[in-house]
Amino acid sequence: MLLLDRATELLLENRLREAEFMFKQVLKQNPKNGKALFGLGRICMRLEQYDNAIYYLKRACEHLPKMLDPLYALADAFIAVGSPVDAKTVLEYALSVAKHNAQIHYHLGQFYLDHGFIDNATQVFEKGLECPPSGVSVFMIFELMQLQPPAEIPALIQRLESLDGKYEHPKFQIISYHALATGYQALGENEKAFEFYEKANALQLEQCEFRTVDMLPFFNRLLSTFDRTFFEKPTDKVQSTFTPVFIVGLPRTGSTLLEQILTQHSQVGSIGESIVVSDKIVPYLEMRTERKFPECSLDVSTSMLDYCRNVYVDEIKKNRVQEEVVLNKLPANFQNIGLIYKIFPQARFIHLTRDFMANAWSVYSNHFAEDEPYFCSLTEYQQYASIEEQVMSHFKPFMKRNIYSISYEKLIEEPERNIQKLLNFLFLKYEPECMEFYKSRGKVETLSKVQVRQPLHTRSLSRWKTFEKQIESVLSEK
């Protein structure tokens, strides 16, 4: 038992190799120890060894039949290897053995949402609210506020108010405020809605450990590093079997929608909002050059660049993407454009833009899990948007052939025409299937997971105008 406890401690400390050794020592003594099997499965998940994770997690589930966490992990592993049907089977089995557990209702409901089964998600969340209340009940009410018709909203508000004060962590209060704001907006009570949006965002801003202005020194270094001299240097001649494409810009400008449209093309795949550049490539270059990013981009050798390309290729293989054009839709990659260009001179960048007021309101009225100031303050977001505009204006003159700009408004108003032009930029022929993106059941984890399951409409273009006076008032106070 002491060995198992120590292995678990090491896993929590992210000392994975030591933890793996100890879990295997436990299994030598007892090959059916479910907790050791679960521990090894979790290690494999962190190391992105998903096939091995499935092996250990299946065995863990057999020997821990009353525990839900191994089932959740097994479902995640199946999703990681592109087997959502198996993940669905696992989660539905978990629900069958824990019908009175709100947590499994939430997990299964999120799975249904991610894969476009909106009605199933609604039903599961409704059933979940019949379970003994817990913190996750607040999250299910929040989801239902966005899924249910207005007639059902008052009952959800009443249920949410009955939970008020029961859960002390700020995240529950933030979600509760967002849920109330969403509900009152659906009922047309816009003054009340804005009041709760303000409460939600003010509380989340209190959780943030920095402010947007603190990022200015970094972005100043970014612009001075990737200057004319940088772009005048010859680039490597890269022989690649795929074309890397990066959708960049501000959040809530339509990157998920564009990804869904483009991936219906027979030659386009996606690795989603991959952070491989910032989380794997940048740390490697910082370690090798002993310089921080972005300055580390100046001292890279051919062998380092080859290593970086292989890291990116491994990410594509991990996501089982085999198409000729590979999308990465992480908007924040706008700050990595210079480095990406150094690694992949043939890379294509699609810069999405949107009317500022509409964009700012879309960010402010949605809940982002990350405690970052520009997600929960209109004035902070205005600063962030100004930075992004400055960065993109800096790069575009140097990379005229690599960057294609398109506005969310044009994409919505003339989708077919603009997709044809965009595919031409990617050296691809138009395929009409692109316009049937809303029929896809591919996984979508972003805040737009429900919207992209619907045909295109223009309602989102003017939704912000309901709150125009309040938005202008807040921005004028800065």
Side-chain angles (χ1 to χ4, degrees):
M1 195 64 181
L2 289 175
L3 196 60
L4 183 61
D5 290 341
R6 181 55 184 152
T8 304
E9 288 175 6
L10 290 168
L11 177 57
L12 292 173
E13 294 169 7
N14 209 38
R15 295 163 64 178
L16 302 184
R17 294 304 179 194
E18 295 169 76
E20 179 185 21
F21 174 78
M22 289 197 174
F23 280 130
K24 286 183 175 179
Q25 290 299 113
V26 173
L27 289 178
K28 281 185 179 180
Q29 299 171 18
N30 178 8
K32 296 182 179 181
N33 188 299
K35 290 184 178 180
L37 291 164
F38 182 34
L40 288 171
R42 290 167 68 192
I43 290 171
C44 291
M45 287 293 287
R46 290 193 194 179
L47 295 174
E48 300 176 353
Q49 299 170 354
Y50 298 120
D51 291 330
N52 289 339
I54 289 171
Y55 168 76
Y56 285 118
L57 291 170
K58 275 185 174 180
R59 291 179 61 198
C61 292
E62 291 173 13
H63 299 293
L64 299 170
K66 295 182 180 180
M67 283 185 64
L68 292 177
D69 284 346
L71 289 167
Y72 297 152
L74 180 58
D76 289 341
F78 277 129
I79 289 171
V81 299
S83 299
V85 173
D86 289 319
K88 177 174 175 284
T89 300
V90 170
L91 291 173
E92 288 178 343
Y93 167 76
L95 180 62
S96 72
V97 298
K99 291 180 180 179
H100 302 295
N101 185 297
Q103 188 78 35
I104 181 54
H105 284 82
Y106 181 70
H107 270 270
L108 181 57
Q110 284 297 331
F111 173 87
Y112 285 143
L113 279 185
D114 289 350
H115 290 85
F117 301 102
I118 310 302
D119 290 341
N120 298 60
T122 303
Q123 293 168 15
V124 169
F125 289 140
E126 287 174 341
K127 284 288 186 183
L129 291 183
E130 296 174 10
C131 300
S134 65
V136 78
S137 303
V138 178
F139 285 80
M140 287 193 286
I141 294 172
F142 172 62
E143 297 294 352
L144 286 170
M145 287 288 194
Q146 301 168 80
L147 299 172
Q148 295 280 44
E152 303 293 332
I153 299 297
L156 290 171
I157 291 175
Q158 188 175 11
R159 188 183 287 269
L160 193 58
E161 289 173 343
S162 72
L163 298 173
D164 187 37
K166 288 191 175 181
Y167 309 103
E168 294 183 1
H169 197 284
K171 70 177 181 180
F172 295 114
Q173 194 61 64
I174 291 167
I175 287 291
S176 180
Y177 286 149
H178 266 292
L180 289 167
T182 303
Y184 283 120
Q185 185 177 353
L187 295 173
E189 297 184 39
N190 295 322
E191 292 293 333
K192 261 190 172 180
F194 191 78
E195 175 188 335
F196 281 108
Y197 281 130
E198 281 194 306
K199 287 183 177 181
N201 284 292
L203 182 55
Q204 187 162 12
L205 187 60
E206 289 178 12
Q207 316 308 311
C208 299
E209 297 180 352
F210 69 98
R211 292 294 182 264
T212 307
V213 69
D214 299 330
M215 303 168 67
L216 286 175
F218 165 76
F219 281 105
N220 288 334
R221 288 169 42 226
L222 187 81
L223 299 182
S224 62
T225 298
F226 299 112
D227 58 4
R228 181 173 298 279
T229 303
F230 175 86
F231 285 99
E232 286 177 347
K233 292 180 180 178
T235 57
D236 283 6
K237 292 184 179 180
V238 180
Q239 297 296 323
S240 179
T241 57
F242 69 99
T243 301
V245 177
F246 297 81
I247 301 175
V248 300
L250 293 168
R252 304 297 295 169
T253 54
S255 60
T256 299
L257 171 62
L258 183 57
E259 178 200 38
Q260 288 298 294
I261 293 173
L262 292 177
T263 51
Q264 303 317 302
H265 194 285
S266 60
Q267 296 179 58
V268 181
S270 176
I271 57 174
E273 293 192 349
S274 173
I275 55 176
V276 61
V277 175
S278 56
D279 274 27
K280 292 184 180 178
I281 292 175
V282 167
Y284 163 76
L285 291 178
E286 289 181 331
M287 180 269 294
R288 286 295 306 271
T289 64
E290 297 184 349
R291 300 181 73 181
K292 299 293 287 182
F293 181 78
E295 290 82 5
C296 64
S297 308
L298 300 175
D299 298 329
V300 291
S301 64
T302 301
S303 63
M304 290 181 201
L305 290 173
D306 286 340
Y307 179 87
C308 294
R309 292 178 194 117
N310 288 332
V311 169
Y312 202 83
V313 169
D314 287 344
E315 183 76 3
I316 293 171
K317 290 178 179 176
K318 185 191 78 176
N319 283 272
R320 290 168 166 76
V321 175
Q322 298 179 334
E323 287 80 3
E324 177 183 320
V325 172
V326 182
L327 301 179
N328 183 334
K329 65 170 289 289
L330 182 68
N333 266 326
F334 74 86
Q335 61 191 296
N336 296 319
I337 286 178
L339 174 59
I340 292 169
Y341 176 76
K342 185 77 173 177
I343 299 169
F344 294 113
Q346 83 280 23
R348 289 285 186 264
F349 299 90
I350 303 170
H351 179 218
L352 276 170
T353 63
R354 187 177 182 181
D355 172 79
F356 172 74
M357 294 288 273
N359 181 218
W361 177 249
S362 184
V363 171
Y364 191 74
S365 60
N366 278 279
H367 174 253
F368 289 78
E370 301 84 358
D371 291 330
E372 297 176 12
Y374 34 82
F375 290 148
C376 47
S377 163
L378 289 168
T379 53
E380 294 281 336
Y381 190 71
Q382 190 174 45
Q383 286 182 292
Y384 185 72
S386 177
I387 291 171
E388 187 269 350
E389 183 179 13
Q390 183 183 6
V391 171
M392 292 309 302
S393 296
H394 173 84
F395 280 118
K396 284 178 181 178
F398 300 128
M399 304 174 62
K400 292 178 181 178
R401 295 182 180 180
N402 297 71
I403 299 177
Y404 182 95
S405 294
I406 181 172
S407 74
Y408 176 75
E409 288 78 14
K410 286 184 178 179
L411 180 61
I412 294 295
E413 290 166 354
E414 296 183 282
E416 194 165 351
R417 179 170 176 268
N418 281 288
I419 290 300
Q420 286 175 344
K421 291 168 68 175
L422 187 48
L423 287 169
N424 185 53
F425 168 71
L426 301 178
F427 307 109
L428 297 174
K429 292 182 179 179
Y430 176 73
E431 294 179 357
E433 289 80 5
C434 291
M435 291 297 101
E436 297 184 343
F437 65 92
Y438 53 89
K439 297 178 181 179
S440 169
R441 286 294 178 265
K443 186 179 183 184
V444 179
E445 293 183 282
T446 67
L447 296 174
S448 304
K449 63 178 73 174
V450 175
Q451 291 93 323
V452 296
R453 307 302 183 181
Q454 307 166 9
L456 288 175
H457 57 78
T458 58
R459 294 190 298 273
S460 59
L461 299 182
S462 58
R463 191 173 289 137
W464 67 275
K465 291 185 177 179
T466 304
F467 300 93
E468 184 173 5
K469 289 182 180 178
Q470 292 97 324
I471 299 170
E472 289 179 344
S473 176
V474 171
L475 291 177
S476 66
E477 291 173 1
K478 66 175 186 175

PDB file of all heavy atoms in Angstrom, residues 263-278:
ATOM      1  N   THR A 263     -12.861  21.734 -43.449  1.00  0.00           N
ATOM      2  CA  THR A 263     -12.565  20.306 -43.254  1.00  0.00           C
ATOM      3  C   THR A 263     -13.578  19.392 -43.936  1.00  0.00           C
ATOM      4  O   THR A 263     -13.386  18.174 -43.955  1.00  0.00           O
ATOM      5  CB  THR A 263     -12.476  19.942 -41.760  1.00  0.00           C
ATOM      6  OG1 THR A 263     -13.636  20.416 -41.079  1.00  0.00           O
ATOM      7  CG2 THR A 263     -11.224  20.527 -41.129  1.00  0.00           C
ATOM      8  N   GLN A 264     -14.629  19.970 -44.519  1.00  0.00           N
ATOM      9  CA  GLN A 264     -15.519  19.141 -45.342  1.00  0.00           C
ATOM     10  C   GLN A 264     -14.889  18.876 -46.710  1.00  0.00           C
ATOM     11  O   GLN A 264     -15.361  18.032 -47.460  1.00  0.00           O
ATOM     12  CB  GLN A 264     -16.885  19.822 -45.514  1.00  0.00           C
ATOM     13  CG  GLN A 264     -17.598  20.159 -44.216  1.00  0.00           C
ATOM     14  CD  GLN A 264     -17.534  19.062 -43.177  1.00  0.00           C
ATOM     15  OE1 GLN A 264     -17.978  17.936 -43.440  1.00  0.00           O
ATOM     16  NE2 GLN A 264     -16.991  19.367 -42.006  1.00  0.00           N
ATOM     17  N   HIS A 265     -13.828  19.628 -47.017  1.00  0.00           N
ATOM     18  CA  HIS A 265     -13.095  19.418 -48.273  1.00  0.00           C
ATOM     19  C   HIS A 265     -12.303  18.123 -48.178  1.00  0.00           C
ATOM     20  O   HIS A 265     -11.726  17.797 -47.137  1.00  0.00           O
ATOM     21  CB  HIS A 265     -12.148  20.603 -48.523  1.00  0.00           C
ATOM     22  CG  HIS A 265     -11.604  20.666 -49.909  1.00  0.00           C
ATOM     23  ND1 HIS A 265     -10.612  19.820 -50.363  1.00  0.00           N
ATOM     24  CD2 HIS A 265     -11.910  21.475 -50.959  1.00  0.00           C
ATOM     25  CE1 HIS A 265     -10.340  20.105 -51.618  1.00  0.00           C
ATOM     26  NE2 HIS A 265     -11.106  21.109 -52.016  1.00  0.00           N
ATOM     27  N   SER A 266     -12.253  17.397 -49.283  1.00  0.00           N
ATOM     28  CA  SER A 266     -11.620  16.069 -49.269  1.00  0.00           C
ATOM     29  C   SER A 266     -10.117  16.119 -48.995  1.00  0.00           C
ATOM     30  O   SER A 266      -9.540  15.107 -48.592  1.00  0.00           O
ATOM     31  CB  SER A 266     -11.859  15.377 -50.624  1.00  0.00           C
ATOM     32  OG  SER A 266     -11.291  16.142 -51.682  1.00  0.00           O
ATOM     33  N   GLN A 267      -9.488  17.294 -49.176  1.00  0.00           N
ATOM     34  CA  GLN A 267      -8.041  17.367 -48.992  1.00  0.00           C
ATOM     35  C   GLN A 267      -7.630  18.214 -47.784  1.00  0.00           C
ATOM     36  O   GLN A 267      -6.470  18.607 -47.667  1.00  0.00           O
ATOM     37  CB  GLN A 267      -7.390  17.939 -50.261  1.00  0.00           C
ATOM     38  CG  GLN A 267      -7.572  17.053 -51.477  1.00  0.00           C
ATOM     39  CD  GLN A 267      -6.945  17.650 -52.727  1.00  0.00           C
ATOM     40  OE1 GLN A 267      -5.748  17.931 -52.754  1.00  0.00           O
ATOM     41  NE2 GLN A 267      -7.744  17.859 -53.757  1.00  0.00           N
ATOM     42  N   VAL A 268      -8.581  18.495 -46.885  1.00  0.00           N
ATOM     43  CA  VAL A 268      -8.277  19.333 -45.721  1.00  0.00           C
ATOM     44  C   VAL A 268      -8.576  18.582 -44.425  1.00  0.00           C
ATOM     45  O   VAL A 268      -9.676  18.054 -44.237  1.00  0.00           O
ATOM     46  CB  VAL A 268      -9.088  20.653 -45.741  1.00  0.00           C
ATOM     47  CG1 VAL A 268      -8.743  21.514 -44.523  1.00  0.00           C
ATOM     48  CG2 VAL A 268      -8.817  21.430 -47.030  1.00  0.00           C
ATOM     49  N   GLY A 269      -7.586  18.543 -43.537  1.00  0.00           N
ATOM     50  CA  GLY A 269      -7.760  17.980 -42.205  1.00  0.00           C
ATOM     51  C   GLY A 269      -7.397  19.018 -41.163  1.00  0.00           C
ATOM     52  O   GLY A 269      -6.945  20.121 -41.499  1.00  0.00           O
ATOM     53  N   SER A 270      -7.587  18.687 -39.889  1.00  0.00           N
ATOM     54  CA  SER A 270      -7.323  19.671 -38.839  1.00  0.00           C
ATOM     55  C   SER A 270      -6.770  19.002 -37.588  1.00  0.00           C
ATOM     56  O   SER A 270      -7.162  17.888 -37.245  1.00  0.00           O
ATOM     57  CB  SER A 270      -8.606  20.427 -38.482  1.00  0.00           C
ATOM     58  OG  SER A 270      -8.385  21.319 -37.403  1.00  0.00           O
ATOM     59  N   ILE A 271      -5.867  19.721 -36.916  1.00  0.00           N
ATOM     60  CA  ILE A 271      -5.393  19.271 -35.594  1.00  0.00           C
ATOM     61  C   ILE A 271      -5.990  20.164 -34.510  1.00  0.00           C
ATOM     62  O   ILE A 271      -5.506  20.189 -33.380  1.00  0.00           O
ATOM     63  CB  ILE A 271      -3.857  19.251 -35.511  1.00  0.00           C
ATOM     64  CG1 ILE A 271      -3.249  20.622 -35.825  1.00  0.00           C
ATOM     65  CG2 ILE A 271      -3.293  18.196 -36.443  1.00  0.00           C
ATOM     66  CD1 ILE A 271      -1.735  20.680 -35.624  1.00  0.00           C
ATOM     67  N   GLY A 272      -7.063  20.898 -34.855  1.00  0.00           N
ATOM     68  CA  GLY A 272      -7.782  21.710 -33.873  1.00  0.00           C
ATOM     69  C   GLY A 272      -6.957  22.881 -33.368  1.00  0.00           C
ATOM     70  O   GLY A 272      -6.106  23.414 -34.073  1.00  0.00           O
ATOM     71  N   GLU A 273      -7.202  23.275 -32.131  1.00  0.00           N
ATOM     72  CA  GLU A 273      -6.459  24.385 -31.519  1.00  0.00           C
ATOM     73  C   GLU A 273      -5.200  23.835 -30.856  1.00  0.00           C
ATOM     74  O   GLU A 273      -5.058  23.833 -29.635  1.00  0.00           O
ATOM     75  CB  GLU A 273      -7.338  25.137 -30.518  1.00  0.00           C
ATOM     76  CG  GLU A 273      -8.496  25.876 -31.177  1.00  0.00           C
ATOM     77  CD  GLU A 273      -9.201  26.844 -30.240  1.00  0.00           C
ATOM     78  OE1 GLU A 273      -8.930  26.800 -29.017  1.00  0.00           O
ATOM     79  OE2 GLU A 273     -10.019  27.645 -30.722  1.00  0.00           O
ATOM     80  N   SER A 274      -4.296  23.358 -31.677  1.00  0.00           N
ATOM     81  CA  SER A 274      -3.084  22.722 -31.161  1.00  0.00           C
ATOM     82  C   SER A 274      -2.108  23.763 -30.609  1.00  0.00           C
ATOM     83  O   SER A 274      -1.825  24.774 -31.254  1.00  0.00           O
ATOM     84  CB  SER A 274      -2.397  21.917 -32.260  1.00  0.00           C
ATOM     85  OG  SER A 274      -1.148  21.428 -31.815  1.00  0.00           O
ATOM     86  N   ILE A 275      -1.571  23.479 -29.430  1.00  0.00           N
ATOM     87  CA  ILE A 275      -0.589  24.362 -28.793  1.00  0.00           C
ATOM     88  C   ILE A 275       0.822  23.809 -28.942  1.00  0.00           C
ATOM     89  O   ILE A 275       1.723  24.148 -28.176  1.00  0.00           O
ATOM     90  CB  ILE A 275      -0.931  24.570 -27.298  1.00  0.00           C
ATOM     91  CG1 ILE A 275      -1.044  23.220 -26.573  1.00  0.00           C
ATOM     92  CG2 ILE A 275      -2.217  25.360 -27.139  1.00  0.00           C
ATOM     93  CD1 ILE A 275      -1.277  23.338 -25.073  1.00  0.00           C
ATOM     94  N   VAL A 276       1.029  22.977 -29.951  1.00  0.00           N
ATOM     95  CA  VAL A 276       2.327  22.322 -30.127  1.00  0.00           C
ATOM     96  C   VAL A 276       3.452  23.339 -30.337  1.00  0.00           C
ATOM     97  O   VAL A 276       4.583  23.123 -29.882  1.00  0.00           O
ATOM     98  CB  VAL A 276       2.276  21.304 -31.294  1.00  0.00           C
ATOM     99  CG1 VAL A 276       1.951  21.980 -32.616  1.00  0.00           C
ATOM    100  CG2 VAL A 276       3.576  20.529 -31.393  1.00  0.00           C
ATOM    101  N   VAL A 277       3.171  24.459 -30.998  1.00  0.00           N
ATOM    102  CA  VAL A 277       4.233  25.443 -31.239  1.00  0.00           C
ATOM    103  C   VAL A 277       4.692  26.047 -29.921  1.00  0.00           C
ATOM    104  O   VAL A 277       5.892  26.076 -29.608  1.00  0.00           O
ATOM    105  CB  VAL A 277       3.755  26.544 -32.215  1.00  0.00           C
ATOM    106  CG1 VAL A 277       4.840  27.617 -32.359  1.00  0.00           C
ATOM    107  CG2 VAL A 277       3.428  25.950 -33.579  1.00  0.00           C
ATOM    108  N   SER A 278       3.748  26.540 -29.123  1.00  0.00           N
ATOM    109  CA  SER A 278       4.116  27.226 -27.878  1.00  0.00           C
ATOM    110  C   SER A 278       4.528  26.271 -26.770  1.00  0.00           C
ATOM    111  O   SER A 278       5.362  26.614 -25.931  1.00  0.00           O
ATOM    112  CB  SER A 278       2.954  28.100 -27.396  1.00  0.00           C
ATOM    113  OG  SER A 278       1.783  27.329 -27.239  1.00  0.00           O
TER     114      SER A 278
END
